[in-house]
Amino acid sequence: MKVLLIGSGGRESAIAYGLKKSPLLSELYVIPGNPGISEFATCIDNIKVEETDKIVEFALSHDIDFTVVGPEVPLCLGLSDELIKAGKKVFGPVRASAMLEGSKAFSKDFMYRHHIPTARYYEYDNYDNAVNGLKDFDYPLVIKADGLAAGKGVVIAEDEKTAITTLDEMMNQGILKDAGSKVIIEEFLDGFECSLLCFTDGETIKPMVSVKDHKQIFDGNRGPNTGGMGSVSPNPFLGNDMDEVLMEDILKPFIKGLKEDHLDYRGCIFIGLMIKDGKAKVLEFNVRFGDPETQSIVLRLESDLLEIMYKTAIKELKDVEIKWNDKTAVCLVLASEGYPGSYQKGMEITGLDKLDDEIVIFHAGTKMDNGVLKTNGGRVLNVCALGDNLEDARDKVYAASEKIEFNGKYCRKDIGLN
């Protein structure tokens, strides 16, 4: 099977890693890919993920059998719709379904109408009305940009001054461009966060193994949100007794809602949850694999990822048995100093040749410059490993991280602990 994967980050590196192990795979193309992926796949770096017309043209001209869409942006632009229209099979929801991530207001309305537990909220497209609406909530409260903001559109405001500043930056100053022209203000939920990823074809939904993401930049879950600084699977804070609760309270109403709203959904649904006292509420829906959750999950997958994805695309997910190993996986993000704010690019990366075979490196923000590997993003590399337990896996990734060098290297020291 000739497969096309869309994306260039750590998530796509992990997906490519899973796809390459499939006996069903004959050729793997990646648009645009990265230096790590290029070691075993053909990267097409002159097409951007937003250029849906060019992607469809490539799929047709290269007789691609199956396309896997990694990032949310092309999904929200309707790439899956265009590929299906061209007669191609695709893993990733169509545009109407991708609005579950593309618009926070759409997503919250979906949850309310289909009785999926979530935080109380109001939506605003006028700054003065939003400021006035702050009085309806206690502090801390949460402000979310309605549109796509690369994981940086959520702010927890501890006081009124922070809330007003955030609203001004999003709605008046446009720091998130159009993404912040409409906002959601919602109540703050306490408890512990959990990422729940599932395969679904709109009829069947199959949860993946549990995983914990670490969003904030500093140890102890402090500082601004990032795209994610590391992940661990299984989630050390989630008991097995939650499986039935999540299926009954979240997943079954979700599938029922898709059917009632006639939403064609074939792909991965990533559900951000807050769990407290044995109950779960949905923080957000993402319509693709998480990053860096995927990196830990893929290491625990024993079944054929390509087969699972293809069966999902043709609505035969019910026929697939998905097997996982019982190891613990840890993913540690090595980031550029200054991320998620401004940071420098072009720092030489060394030490990858010193790593043990049990360490898996997923490239996230890298580039080749005249044969020299350099940094090219905020999140640069994902250092991943399996262990017999959390301590074992943590020891492996942190020992490996010490061997990798680039100017301004930064990582959290408490992945899996907080």
Side-chain angles (χ1 to χ4, degrees):
M1 191 183 301
K2 296 174 72 172
V3 177
L4 172 61
L5 171 64
I6 308 301
S8 64
R11 168 184 52 221
E12 287 76 33
S13 295
I15 293 171
Y17 172 88
L19 293 174
K20 76 171 183 177
K21 296 192 290 185
S22 173
L24 300 174
L25 182 72
S26 59
E27 293 182 70
L28 177 60
Y29 296 90
V30 187
I31 295 176
N34 63 43
I37 296 173
S38 69
E39 294 177 7
F40 57 85
T42 302
C43 293
I44 313 299
D45 60 7
N46 62 345
I47 301 177
K48 299 177 181 179
V49 299
E50 299 90 353
E51 296 177 317
T52 56
D53 290 347
K54 291 183 179 180
I55 293 172
V56 173
E57 181 182 329
F58 181 90
L60 290 170
S61 64
H62 287 73
D63 295 321
I64 298 297
D65 299 302
F66 185 51
T67 300
V68 177
V69 186
E72 63 274 18
V73 171
L75 291 170
C76 291
L77 290 174
L79 176 57
S80 293
D81 306 63
E82 296 304 315
L83 286 165
I84 292 169
K85 192 183 300 181
K88 297 296 182 181
K89 301 289 192 299
V90 59
F91 181 93
V94 297
R95 184 174 186 174
S97 299
M99 287 295 287
L100 286 167
E101 180 170 1
S103 168
K104 294 292 191 297
F106 179 93
S107 177
K108 295 290 283 191
D109 178 65
F110 178 89
M111 287 184 249
Y112 259 58
R113 287 188 296 104
H114 298 296
H115 309 292
I116 298 171
T118 189
R120 181 175 64 87
Y121 81 105
Y122 291 104
E123 62 182 85
Y124 300 95
D125 57 12
N126 175 275
Y127 168 76
D128 291 331
N129 290 344
V131 171
N132 186 56
L134 293 171
K135 69 179 187 305
D136 296 323
F137 296 87
D138 296 325
Y139 290 94
L141 54 78
V142 182
I143 299 174
K144 297 180 178 180
D146 179 59
L148 298 177
K152 299 166 189 172
V154 178
V155 174
I156 298 172
E158 299 286 349
D159 50 51
E160 184 180 46
K161 180 180 178 182
T162 304
I164 291 174
T165 298
T166 299
L167 291 173
D168 180 56
E169 291 176 342
M170 287 186 180
M171 304 186 81
N172 294 333
Q173 298 181 35
I175 63 167
L176 300 175
K177 299 182 180 178
D178 290 342
S181 60
K182 179 191 287 187
V183 300
I184 298 294
I185 300 176
E186 65 178 35
E187 66 174 322
F188 176 80
L189 299 177
D190 60 351
F192 70 91
E193 285 194 50
C194 172
S195 301
L196 176 62
L197 281 73
C198 307
F199 295 104
T200 183
D201 59 7
E203 299 286 341
T204 300
I205 189 163
K206 295 196 174 186
M208 303 181 205
V209 285
S210 70
V211 61
K212 166 68 177 174
D213 176 29
H214 297 71
K215 283 287 184 202
Q216 290 174 282
I217 186 67
F218 299 126
D219 287 3
N221 299 317
R222 296 178 297 108
N225 274 345
T226 71
M229 292 302 296
S231 64
V232 55
S233 177
N235 187 328
F237 306 103
L238 183 69
N240 293 329
D241 57 339
M242 285 298 298
D243 290 351
E244 185 175 351
V245 172
L246 296 176
M247 180 59 73
E248 293 298 322
D249 292 357
I250 310 294
L251 300 186
K252 286 185 178 179
F254 174 74
I255 288 292
K256 186 170 180 283
L258 292 181
K259 293 178 180 178
E260 290 180 357
D261 288 1
H262 306 289
L263 293 175
D264 181 6
Y265 201 112
R266 287 174 269 181
C268 171
I269 182 69
F270 168 154
I271 308 173
L273 299 168
M274 185 65 77
I275 296 178
K276 183 179 182 182
D277 299 331
K279 295 292 183 181
K281 290 187 176 183
V282 175
L283 298 172
E284 63 179 356
F285 287 125
N286 293 315
V287 297
R288 36 67 189 183
F289 282 92
D291 186 348
E293 291 92 343
T294 307
Q295 289 85 314
S296 290
I297 287 173
V298 162
L299 292 187
R300 296 191 59 203
L301 180 63
E302 294 290 317
S303 300
D304 186 330
L305 178 61
L306 179 51
E307 180 188 16
I308 297 168
M309 288 179 159
Y310 188 77
K311 290 287 189 179
T312 299
I314 62 174
K315 298 184 79 70
E316 293 182 3
L317 180 60
K318 67 181 186 302
D319 300 328
V320 180
E321 181 182 4
I322 304 177
K323 297 181 179 179
W324 308 90
N325 65 49
D326 59 1
K327 299 286 189 179
T328 295
V330 171
C331 168
L332 173 67
V333 173
L334 301 186
S336 298
E337 184 179 16
Y339 175 78
S342 59
Y343 52 85
Q344 290 186 317
K345 298 181 181 180
M347 304 296 120
E348 182 178 354
I349 302 168
T350 60
L352 294 180
D353 57 338
K354 300 177 183 178
L355 304 180
D356 297 334
D357 290 341
E358 62 185 351
I359 301 299
V360 179
I361 297 292
F362 295 129
H363 289 236
T366 65
K367 66 177 179 179
M368 292 298 294
D369 184 2
N370 294 318
V372 177
L373 185 67
K374 295 184 177 181
T375 66
N376 195 42
R379 294 186 293 174
V380 179
L381 293 168
N382 306 146
V383 184
C384 307
L386 287 171
D388 292 330
N389 51 50
L390 179 57
E391 182 180 11
D392 183 31
R394 275 178 44 84
D395 287 347
K396 289 176 181 178
V397 297
Y398 279 104
S401 72
E402 293 297 320
K403 300 177 182 178
I404 301 169
E405 297 293 339
F406 58 86
N407 192 29
K409 182 185 76 173
Y410 170 79
C411 67
R412 279 183 58 164
K413 301 298 184 183
D414 62 348
I415 299 303
L417 302 183
N418 285 298

